[in-house]
Amino acid sequence: MILIFLGPPGSGKGTQAKRLMSHRSWPQLSTGDMLRASISKGSALGMEAKKYMDQGHLVPDLVVVGMIAERIQEPDCRSGFILDGFPRTLPQAKSLDVMLAARNLSVDVVVEFQIKDSELLGRLSGRRTCSKCGTLYHIHTSPPQVSGICDVCGSDVIQRADDQESVIQKRLKVYHELTAPLVRFYSEQGKLRAIDASVSMAAVDVSVHDALGIA
Ligand code: AP5
């Protein structure tokens, strides 16, 4: 099963990809996480990507397409994977189709996370992430048991540099301009399943399973 989770920043793509991954054998391939890992390592690619990410702009297509092309060749992707935050432009979507077709594969389902922009600001400004294992928290709705410390691995829980209000507004604008056209692209392929992402995490989880036709 090759899945795409498509939706604006803060719509819950990462949250639901992690939930699904915990009881299926499909890894979550998050281009955002991959780029942040490159930044943490201080690699040239990471330093270049940081300039775009800190401003709320997209990283150039060539960079992210190259990362995904390499990642899907790893053994854990054999039975499928969840693309979280990729593709984000029409050229990325078309490159994905080409790279999958070369392996006699294609995208199975695209889950579109629908939610109003007005609900996203609170989610993103309150989001905190474990600096080591990536567990997601929210300061109001799902805080760690001890403030600033991850429940899972005990590492520091931090705020992402791009979760500042001015950058969030820019990321939403970029989403509507460059990523939202993918809704039509996948709808025309008959692969789009829209879900209401404004409800509780558990209710979204149910909708994701329904959209995928799995128990
Ligand atoms: P990326 O890391 O992919 O960020 P994003 O798409 O902006 O998405 P987010 O991670 O912000 O949100 P999410 O939908 O995963 O929500 P989450 O589950 O965390 O990308 C960052 C940057 O990297 C981009 O801006 C760009 O520069 C670059 N980049 C990445 N991919 C790229 C690409 N393909 N091309 C070019 N550039 C690329 O949830 C958010 C919060 O809400 C959490 O606190 C969570 O606890 C809470 N929450 C989740 N679900 C619910 C719910 N149902 N109810 C209440 N709260 C909820």
Side-chain angles (χ1 to χ4, degrees), residues 6-210:
L6 177 68
S11 57
K13 306 178 298 294
T15 300
Q16 295 301 328
K18 284 181 175 58
R19 289 175 88 118
L20 189 58
M21 194 174 76
S22 69
H23 45 92
R24 294 273 157 176
S25 57
W26 309 316
Q28 170 199 18
L29 310 190
S30 158
T31 37
D33 287 350
M34 291 177 200
L35 290 165
R36 281 184 288 278
S38 297
I39 293 172
S40 298
K41 279 190 220 144
S43 70
L45 185 150
M47 292 304 102
E48 185 59 23
K50 189 174 183 329
K51 292 184 208 157
Y52 295 92
M53 294 168 77
D54 285 354
Q55 301 291 318
H57 293 294
L58 294 185
V59 172
D61 289 340
L62 213 59
V63 173
V64 286
V65 168
M67 286 186 338
I68 289 293
E70 228 173 80
R71 180 66 182 87
I72 64 172
Q73 294 185 46
E74 299 202 8
D76 64 334
C77 291
R78 268 191 213 129
S79 62
F81 44 88
I82 310 162
L83 290 164
D84 164 14
F86 179 93
R88 260 173 147 103
T89 63
L90 278 171
Q92 289 181 23
K94 289 175 182 169
S95 298
L96 175 65
D97 281 351
V98 171
M99 76 174 89
L100 292 176
R103 302 158 68 90
N104 286 323
L105 297 170
S106 62
V107 171
D108 292 291
V109 179
V110 179
V111 181
E112 184 204 354
F113 287 62
Q114 292 186 333
I115 181 167
K116 290 190 188 122
D117 284 6
S118 53
E119 298 188 44
L120 297 173
L121 190 61
R123 280 197 187 182
L124 289 171
S125 55
R127 174 170 57 187
R128 299 293 183 271
T129 312
C130 173
S131 55
K132 191 169 179 200
C133 71
T135 299
L136 291 169
Y137 298 95
H138 190 281
I139 50 170
H140 299 306
T141 55
S142 51
Q145 284 168 15
V146 178
S147 175
I149 304 293
C150 178
D151 297 348
V152 178
C153 73
S155 301
D156 288 344
V157 168
I158 55 162
Q159 183 173 28
R160 268 172 47 175
D162 59 349
D163 279 347
Q164 310 294 331
E165 187 170 341
S166 58
V167 186
I168 294 170
Q169 299 289 6
K170 178 71 191 167
R171 287 162 61 202
L172 288 171
K173 190 165 180 282
V174 167
Y175 177 80
H176 291 296
E177 283 173 10
L178 298 175
T179 309
L182 296 182
V183 168
R184 184 165 173 197
F185 179 79
Y186 288 116
S187 172
E188 285 174 356
Q189 292 185 11
K191 294 179 174 171
L192 197 78
R193 310 277 183 275
I195 61 165
D196 179 0
S198 67
V199 291
S200 71
M201 292 182 202
V204 177
D205 190 327
V206 170
S207 300
V208 169
H209 280 75
D210 287 348

